[in-house]
Amino acid sequence: MQHRSALHVRVATRGTTREINRRIALNLIRTNQPISRADLARLMATRRGAVSLLVDELIRDRAIFEGATGEAKRGRKPTFLFIDSRQRCVVGVDIRPTRTFVMVTDLVGRQLASVTSFPTERHPKRFVAGLVKRVKAVLLAHADLGRCEGIGVAVAGMVESETGIVLRAPNLGWSDLQLRDPISVALGVPVQIENAGKACALAQLWTTRGEKVPTNFVYVTVSDGLGVGIVLGGELVRGQHNIAGEFGHVPLSLDGPRCGCGATGCWEAFVSNLATLSRYFGRDLRSHPSDSDVASLTVDDLIARARGGDGKALAALLSTARYLGLGLGSVINAIDPSHVYIGGEITAAWDLIESTVRTGLAERALTPSACDTPITVVPSEQYPRLRGAAALVAASSFAKGLVA
């Protein structure tokens, strides 16, 4: 179970029950919209009159609104409830070592504008200045979307989410960097920051609609690095020092390639995009600067070559797939999740690599049931890191409060 500090637990008051019911209602509307008052009352297992009072309060606060009417066999037609995202938006930012991506969503994570990107500047002050300029330009270009409620940032590194400090981002060269406050001051809106793997896990929680929300799962994102987000009991696991889930820096082999963190043989060093491309070119691209041909080739290009009959490209992908499976075995042995989600560029080749991933998993899994853990690929087109970043801002309105 996740440890809870007494500093983060609030003592219950006379208004606590109402606040909890309010958040329960908001979450049920968010995950089931459009939904009628009668259906909301059934889901909350409470009286229709009590729910109507709560709904009326949420409408007055502009948290929800009543939209279209539905059909009824008899009696009054139901009026459907929706989360009120009208004239309100959120900006999601995904900071990667090579490029930074920006996307505008509504309060339930729906994309409202095209994703833009720019090269990531490693110097912190110049990066913040460039990001602020880009976000301002995006919001100006889409002024019709209304007021920006905040900025959510996913970063490839270890983050102290409460303070907004990037504790360590090896592939960016950042350490103990206060990133949240400079962005917030420059843009004049709240900013939330989280590790990329955890942001992806949050996105998976946040975007589930009309079905049972997964409560025990692991999300693995493979890109410039490797991030892991863990959800247990419906809550994102951060750990005592905000580094829970850093399986990317657990060694597969002490004699393996050097990782960006400085150690050797980390799981990330075997499965990152750079590791896959290194296999294709036959040399460690981290240690040996690449020429223009190498620099222009991406994992997507490599997948295209493999599908076109390039045996060396296919071999590079399958080697990465085996290491991905071996690492998943360790994760599943440690966490025993009910489900694993995988995102990242290499998943576009899932039909080519799935059996190899499963073989690697079987080498490490401790039981037959662990071997059969369901694995779902999340396509890159769904922008899980960006949606998770945006959810950092929107989710605060729906989070369950802790009471003693």
Side-chain angles (χ1 to χ4, degrees), residues 303-351:
I303 293 171
R305 291 189 181 190
R307 294 191 186 283
D310 187 331
K312 191 166 67 169
L314 180 59
L317 293 172
L318 292 178
S319 180
T320 296
R322 179 172 179 271
Y323 288 122
L324 180 58
L326 291 173
L328 284 176
S330 297
V331 173
I332 290 171
N333 289 340
I335 305 299
D336 193 21
S338 61
H339 209 107
V340 172
Y341 296 92
I342 301 180
E345 289 81 1
I346 197 172
T347 60
W350 193 246
D351 59 314

Side-chain angles (χ1 to χ4, degrees), residues 134-157:
R134 297 277 181 161
V135 171
K136 284 182 176 179
V138 168
L139 292 175
L140 182 62
H142 301 285
D144 58 307
L145 298 179
R147 183 179 75 250
C148 177
E149 298 287 330
I151 313 293
V153 179
V155 63

Side-chain angles (χ1 to χ4, degrees), residues 124-202:
K125 288 186 178 179
R126 289 198 292 268
F127 171 78
V128 170
L131 175 62
V132 167
K133 181 179 178 180
R134 297 277 181 161
V135 171
K136 284 182 176 179
V138 168
L139 292 175
L140 182 62
H142 301 285
D144 58 307
L145 298 179
R147 183 179 75 250
C148 177
E149 298 287 330
I151 313 293
V153 179
V155 63
M158 288 147 263
V159 176
E160 191 170 63
S161 56
E162 291 182 1
T163 63
I165 294 175
V166 178
L167 300 171
R168 191 180 183 199
N171 293 329
L172 285 162
W174 293 348
S175 181
D176 294 322
L177 173 66
Q178 174 51 260
L179 190 63
R180 180 191 65 192
D181 292 353
I183 299 172
S184 180
V185 170
L187 291 171
V189 296
V191 174
Q192 302 292 333
I193 296 182
E194 186 55 272
N195 162 269
K198 292 180 176 65
C200 287
L202 179 60

Side-chain angles (χ1 to χ4, degrees), residues 26-349:
L26 281 170
N27 269 306
L28 288 173
I29 294 169
R30 176 180 65 83
T31 56
N32 294 279
Q33 64 180 1
I35 183 173
S36 68
R37 294 184 186 220
D39 287 337
L40 180 60
R42 280 193 288 272
L43 288 174
M44 293 184 68
T46 191
R47 294 179 297 105
R48 170 76 178 272
V51 165
S52 286
L53 290 174
L54 183 58
V55 165
D56 289 341
E57 177 185 313
L58 292 171
I59 291 174
R60 286 195 302 271
D61 292 344
R62 285 199 57 204
I64 63 173
F65 71 96
E66 289 185 301
T69 56
E71 297 297 324
K73 292 183 179 180
R74 57 181 181 274
R76 188 171 61 183
K77 293 182 178 180
T79 302
F80 292 124
L81 304 172
F82 300 81
I83 296 296
D84 194 349
S85 285
R86 299 171 300 179
Q87 292 300 296
R88 301 159 75 189
C89 67
V90 172
V91 175
V93 177
D94 174 18
I95 305 173
R96 305 191 188 194
T98 51
R99 296 192 71 82
T100 294
F101 299 82
V102 178
M103 181 173 74
V104 183
T105 77
D106 65 11
L107 292 183
V108 290
R110 286 189 292 253
Q111 182 179 348
L112 300 178
S114 299
V115 174
T116 62
S117 71
F118 58 94
T120 300
E121 167 63 61
R122 299 297 183 91
H123 188 278
K125 288 186 178 179
R126 289 198 292 268
F127 171 78
V128 170
L131 175 62
V132 167
K133 181 179 178 180
R134 297 277 181 161
V135 171
K136 284 182 176 179
V138 168
L139 292 175
L140 182 62
H142 301 285
D144 58 307
L145 298 179
R147 183 179 75 250
C148 177
E149 298 287 330
I151 313 293
V153 179
V155 63
M158 288 147 263
V159 176
E160 191 170 63
S161 56
E162 291 182 1
T163 63
I165 294 175
V166 178
L167 300 171
R168 191 180 183 199
N171 293 329
L172 285 162
W174 293 348
S175 181
D176 294 322
L177 173 66
Q178 174 51 260
L179 190 63
R180 180 191 65 192
D181 292 353
I183 299 172
S184 180
V185 170
L187 291 171
V189 296
V191 174
Q192 302 292 333
I193 296 182
E194 186 55 272
N195 162 269
K198 292 180 176 65
C200 287
L202 179 60
Q204 198 63 44
L205 273 175
W206 189 247
T207 57
T208 302
R209 299 279 189 271
E211 58 186 87
K212 183 176 175 59
V213 177
T215 57
N216 296 284
F217 67 87
V218 169
Y219 195 113
V220 178
T221 174
V222 184
S223 189
D224 294 342
L226 184 144
V228 178
I230 302 169
V231 171
L232 296 178
E235 292 191 10
L236 191 62
V237 178
R238 291 189 171 88
Q240 181 67 28
H241 301 101
N242 298 283
I243 60 173
E246 287 293 340
F247 283 95
H249 298 290
V250 172
L252 283 185
S253 169
L254 294 178
D255 298 322
R258 183 165 294 279
C259 179
C261 72
T264 56
C266 295
W267 187 23
E268 176 178 301
F270 284 97
V271 301
S272 70
N273 289 353
L274 194 62
T276 302
L277 293 172
S278 293
R279 291 190 187 95
Y280 181 72
F281 287 105
R283 68 178 187 273
D284 184 355
L285 298 182
R286 183 180 295 277
S287 302
H288 300 84
S290 58
D291 56 31
S292 58
D293 290 336
V294 176
S296 64
L297 191 76
T298 66
V299 169
D300 289 332
D301 297 328
L302 199 66
I303 293 171
R305 291 189 181 190
R307 294 191 186 283
D310 187 331
K312 191 166 67 169
L314 180 59
L317 293 172
L318 292 178
S319 180
T320 296
R322 179 172 179 271
Y323 288 122
L324 180 58
L326 291 173
L328 284 176
S330 297
V331 173
I332 290 171
N333 289 340
I335 305 299
D336 193 21
S338 61
H339 209 107
V340 172
Y341 296 92
I342 301 180
E345 289 81 1
I346 197 172
T347 60

